[in-house]
Amino acid sequence: LYRGRVVCAVSTCKVPVLVCQPCRNRVSPEEVASKAKCRLCRDNFAGSKRVEKPEIAVKAAPVAEKTRPPAPRLFVGNLPFTVEREEVLSTLDIDGRLTWLVDRETSLFYGSCVIECGVDAATKVVSRAKLYPTKLRGRKLRLGFGPAAPVDGAEGVRPPCPA
């Protein structure tokens, strides 16, 4: 029967730990109290996230952020299926040639486009989107620099979307 005598030795945890009678009899009570750790602390977990050991974290190389270099094309994702060209351009406050991205097999619009607008305009839109999320009809748009090469897709009127 547990009576709350042994808690986790980690200073920020203090979770009750069950210690069997043979283990308790084998070492002194002070040693049990100083070495007892709960299962989460033994496995290096803190809350719901795994905590790396400090010596391992120091050796690990820093992870580079995935960003494309500034480009004259702007990628816009998470568009509503019924959006129109003028609505996209006015929301982003830019002007340029818009290419709707379509599925290769079905040729249906799937909610993304690329706008050729120049490096300065694309940089302005992407930097503004990092500070203030851009929304269109209640949907948060995914904005980033587009591919360096021209993209294949539908221009002009938006193609049909999946039903």
Side-chain angles (χ1 to χ4, degrees), residues 13-104:
C13 183
K14 301 300 180 196
V15 171
V17 178
L18 296 174
V19 181
C20 66
Q21 192 65 39
C23 292
R24 227 179 299 144
N25 293 339
R26 215 176 345 171
V27 293
S28 67
E30 294 81 22
E31 191 174 353
V32 170
S34 67
K35 292 185 178 180
K37 287 187 178 181
C38 69
R39 185 176 179 183
L40 293 175
C41 291
R42 272 196 323 257
D43 295 339
N44 294 323
F45 278 89
S48 62
K49 295 183 179 179
R50 186 170 182 86
V51 177
E52 297 298 329
K53 294 182 181 178
E55 61 273 7
I56 295 173
V58 170
K59 293 177 187 175
V63 178
E65 190 178 317
K66 290 184 178 180
T67 57
R68 290 181 183 236
R73 291 179 184 82
L74 179 68
F75 171 82
V76 183
N78 200 28
L79 289 167
F81 285 142
T82 57
V83 73
E84 296 299 330
R85 177 185 187 279
E86 292 77 24
E87 196 174 2
V88 174
L89 296 176
S90 65
T91 299
L92 299 175
D93 194 28
I94 57 173
D95 191 30
R97 196 175 102 215
L98 188 141
T99 304
W100 304 104
L101 299 181
V102 294
D103 185 77
R104 291 182 183 175

Side-chain angles (χ1 to χ4, degrees), residues 87-141:
E87 196 174 2
V88 174
L89 296 176
S90 65
T91 299
L92 299 175
D93 194 28
I94 57 173
D95 191 30
R97 196 175 102 215
L98 188 141
T99 304
W100 304 104
L101 299 181
V102 294
D103 185 77
R104 291 182 183 175
E105 294 177 9
T106 62
S107 296
L108 296 175
F109 173 64
Y110 63 84
S112 299
C113 71
V114 173
I115 304 171
E116 291 187 35
C117 58
V119 176
D120 293 337
T123 305
K124 181 181 86 170
V125 170
V126 170
S127 60
R128 186 179 354 141
K130 286 182 182 177
L131 296 174
Y132 310 104
T134 305
K135 290 190 174 187
L136 178 63
R137 294 193 201 165
R139 296 177 66 117
K140 182 180 171 187
L141 300 180

